Amino acid sequence: MSNVEKISVALTPEMAAFVRDVVKSGEYASSSEVIHEALQDWKQKRLLQLQNIDEVRRLWQEGIDSGAGQYTDIEAIKQEARKRLGQVSQKDA
C-alpha cells in the first residue's frame, strides 16, 4: 500500500454498526476499506457537482453575453406561453 495517513473518524452508532456488519458479512476486509470506498464515492460525487456548477455558471454567462432578452417582462412571457399552448392544443385537436 502506498503512503497512508491514519486519521480518526467519529461515526454515529448506526453508521458504526453498519460498517461492522458489512465487514462481518465478508463484503469488506476491514472498516478502513469501507471508509475508503465511501470516500472515493464521495470524491466522485463532489467532482460531478463541481462540474455541474461550472456548467451552470458557463451557461448563465452565455445567457448574459447574448444580450437583452426577447421579452420585456413576465406578462410578455406568459402571453407567449399561452399563444404557444394554444398552438399545441389546436394541433392535437
Side-chain angles (χ1 to χ4, degrees):
M1 182 181 273
S2 64
N3 286 342
V4 295
E5 180 180 344
K6 288 185 108 177
I7 60 171
S8 176
V9 178
L11 299 174
T12 63
E14 296 83 14
M15 291 303 286
F18 180 72
V19 170
R20 282 191 299 276
D21 289 346
V22 296
V23 171
K24 186 177 177 182
S25 74
E27 191 174 341
Y28 292 89
S30 68
S31 56
S32 291
E33 196 177 287
V34 177
I35 302 303
H36 181 265
E37 185 171 320
L39 286 171
Q40 290 290 358
D41 288 347
W42 172 79
K43 182 180 173 183
Q44 190 65 25
K45 180 181 173 185
R46 177 121 169 102
L47 178 62
L48 186 58
Q49 287 173 334
L50 293 173
Q51 289 171 344
N52 288 340
I53 289 168
D54 287 344
E55 178 70 1
V56 168
R57 285 182 176 141
R58 186 190 66 74
L59 291 170
W60 182 271
Q61 191 60 50
E62 186 179 305
I64 291 170
D65 293 344
S66 70
Q70 176 181 352
Y71 304 103
T72 56
D73 59 21
I74 190 67
E75 289 307 318
I77 295 170
K78 288 179 183 179
Q79 185 177 6
E80 178 64 19
R82 288 185 190 106
K83 178 179 152 188
R84 290 183 188 188
L85 182 60
Q87 289 174 352
V88 171
S89 296
Q90 290 172 7
K91 288 179 185 177
D92 292 340

